[in-house]
Amino acid sequence: MKPFIDLAAQGQVVKSEVLNAFSEIIDHAAFIGGKYVERCEQSLTDYIGRRCLVVSSGTDALVLALMALDLCPGDVVFVPSFTFAASAEAVALLGGVPYFVDVGSDYNMSVGALSNAWSDAKRRGLQPVGIISVDLFGLPADHDAIEHFASQEDLWVINDAAQSFGSLYQGESALKRGVISTTSFFPAKPLGCWGDGGAVFVDDDALYEKMASLRCHGQGAMRYTYQHVGINARMDAMQCAVILSKLKIFDAEVEKRVRIADRYNTALKDLAVTPLVPEGRTSVYAQYTLLLQPEVRDQVQKALAESGIPSVIYYPIPIHQQNAYKHFPAGDMSNTTRFCQSVLSLPMHPYLSEVDQDQIITGFKHIHQAESAI
Ligand SMILES: *Cc1c(COP(=O)(O)O)cnc(C)c1O
């Protein structure tokens, strides 16, 4: 079976340059901090057009952002339930209350559902302070609408862009949205390193300085002085070297992802609901996700696996139904529940050849037809 995401193929493209960088890092024993970290932050700042701090993971990026915004125990933060757990985990970890909000047909937070959740939270005497929007599967959420609501109700927005590095909203990077945006360089993300890594992006100088301090134990202007109770959330020099090399080929990789998505769309649009990309947004297709009939989804996946075609369900169980989170408040979750029963993601990565993709498409068509006929 070919891999769902071919990280080995991508690794070959940057391997020699990265090994040279590793060799230099080893020779200078500059493992933490140093010029690769500085260069990586500068390149990411230039790429997004917003000040960047690299951090140890996408999860820690969210934790740092919430700490910088002074999230207090009991504060309510609206988050989608149709997402990876980290979006809500960071809130709960700091004693906050994730309030789960349903998503729309773009798989991202629905502003109607957000507004209902806010009214309900107010009615229950809860204390809403912010929103974590998520750009799921690489597609930006409707940031104008979310930010408009947020400013009306005096809430901040953190954009969890772990899956959407490289995507555009109204012609600008989705990582320019939210008072802070966060991303992940987990290997399987659109821009991934060879271990754990992530970043925060911010315009406000005070928030930038605070997160720079928080990621290094709350350090003050001098070593061994402390301004805040912080954490260790640094990204190391070797991971920064990987990101520097991969950033050079990133735009070309995104073009390939979009081309692959277009080929899937053309071939499969009559069989399943293909990804929606509303006007004014671009997707980097962190996942290529179809909506099938819930009655056939699991059988289709099983039959695909039997014929050597990998597929993944992102996500089988919504966060608000997980044991760790089910005591937190949640609004109506009709779309989230339906999507968890109907989604199926097909192989998507820049090194997927047309021949291999055609095999996936042909296999999918046969299997889908057979399962739907039963
Ligand atoms: C991957 C992911 C994260 C967490 O990133 P890590 O680097 O794995 O900690 C957070 N939010 C979303 C939506 C993600 O997909």
Side-chain angles (χ1 to χ4, degrees):
M1 195 186 287
K2 297 243 171 149
F4 184 69
I5 299 180
D6 197 345
L7 291 174
Q10 186 195 43
Q12 293 310 311
V13 180
V14 292
K15 185 174 171 184
S16 68
E17 189 178 88
V18 172
L19 286 179
N20 283 337
F22 282 6
S23 170
E24 191 189 327
I25 290 166
I26 294 167
D27 291 344
H28 292 95
F31 303 111
I32 303 288
K35 78 176 186 196
Y36 280 97
V37 177
E38 283 162 27
R39 273 194 216 156
C40 184
E41 288 185 336
Q42 190 57 55
S43 297
L44 291 167
T45 297
D46 295 343
Y47 189 85
I48 298 298
R50 195 174 205 190
R51 287 183 94 183
C52 170
L53 290 162
V54 293
V55 301
S56 40
S57 70
T59 306
D60 287 338
L62 286 165
V63 170
L64 286 174
L66 291 165
M67 288 171 81
L69 292 168
D70 291 320
L71 185 82
C72 292
D75 285 351
V76 168
V77 179
F78 300 105
V79 296
S81 175
F82 192 54
T83 178
F84 182 64
S87 317
E89 178 188 35
V91 176
L93 189 72
L94 294 171
V97 176
Y99 191 124
F100 294 104
V101 177
D102 205 10
V103 292
S105 51
D106 62 353
Y107 302 127
N108 287 322
M109 186 184 273
S110 144
V111 178
L114 172 65
S115 165
N116 291 340
W118 183 87
S119 305
D120 179 64
K122 282 298 205 188
R123 208 162 37 236
R124 290 157 72 166
L126 301 172
Q127 171 86 283
V129 295
I131 299 164
I132 295 181
S133 56
V134 179
D135 298 333
L136 205 71
F137 304 148
L139 177 77
D142 190 357
H143 291 295
D144 281 348
I146 291 171
E147 285 178 7
H148 179 71
F149 182 84
S151 66
Q152 265 179 357
E153 306 305 346
D154 203 20
L155 306 168
W156 45 250
V157 180
I158 294 171
N159 190 30
D160 179 355
Q163 300 185 9
S164 65
F165 188 94
S167 70
L168 301 178
Y169 184 84
Q170 310 293 1
E172 283 198 314
S173 170
L175 284 80
K176 293 189 88 162
R177 307 310 293 248
V179 58
I180 299 169
S181 66
T182 63
T183 199
S184 165
F185 302 132
F186 181 77
K189 306 284 172 162
L191 178 63
C193 56
W194 291 346
D196 277 309
V200 293
F201 295 84
V202 64
D203 298 317
D204 182 272
D205 289 333
L207 287 174
Y208 173 90
E209 297 300 340
K210 192 166 174 191
M211 287 190 289
S213 163
L214 286 170
R215 89 171 153 177
C216 190
H217 304 289
Q219 190 171 284
M222 277 184 321
R223 233 174 170 187
Y224 308 118
T225 66
Y226 302 98
Q227 278 305 113
H228 310 282
V229 176
I231 55 177
N232 171 6
R234 294 180 297 250
M235 179 164 154
D236 68 71
M238 287 192 178
Q239 298 309 332
C240 286
V242 176
I243 291 298
L244 274 167
S245 288
K246 287 213 198 170
L247 198 54
K248 292 184 195 163
I249 58 168
F250 182 69
D251 284 345
E253 288 189 341
V254 170
E255 276 177 38
K256 288 183 191 150
R257 285 175 176 279
V258 171
R259 210 173 315 139
I260 291 164
D262 288 344
R263 292 185 89 242
Y264 272 139
N265 288 343
T266 308
L268 302 176
K269 64 180 188 311
D270 296 332
L271 302 183
V273 180
T274 54
L276 180 76
V277 181
E279 186 76 40
R281 306 186 224 175
T282 69
S283 177
V284 290
Y285 296 100
Q287 303 302 339
Y288 182 84
T289 304
L290 295 171
L291 265 190
L292 310 183
Q293 294 299 323
E295 303 77 37
V296 303
R297 195 267 313 264
D298 291 349
Q299 278 309 111
V300 167
Q301 185 183 33
K302 197 162 155 255
L304 284 171
E306 282 161 5
S307 55
I309 300 172
S311 63
V312 181
I313 294 167
Y314 295 109
Y315 295 94
I317 303 168
I319 308 301
H320 75 281
Q321 287 177 356
Q322 304 280 353
N323 280 337
Y325 296 94
K326 61 188 178 200
H327 58 290
F328 290 116
D332 171 65
M333 286 289 163
S334 334
N335 285 339
T336 297
T337 310
R338 185 165 59 90
F339 292 156
C340 288
Q341 293 162 356
S342 325
V343 286
L344 190 68
S345 300
L346 296 182
M348 162 57 77
H349 60 85
Y351 302 90
L352 183 63
S353 70
E354 291 198 353
V355 173
D356 287 346
Q357 189 185 11
D358 287 342
Q359 247 170 35
I360 295 166
I361 290 169
T362 308
F364 181 89
K365 281 184 173 168
H366 282 302
I367 287 163
H368 187 268
Q369 195 176 22
E371 294 301 334
S372 303
I374 293 168

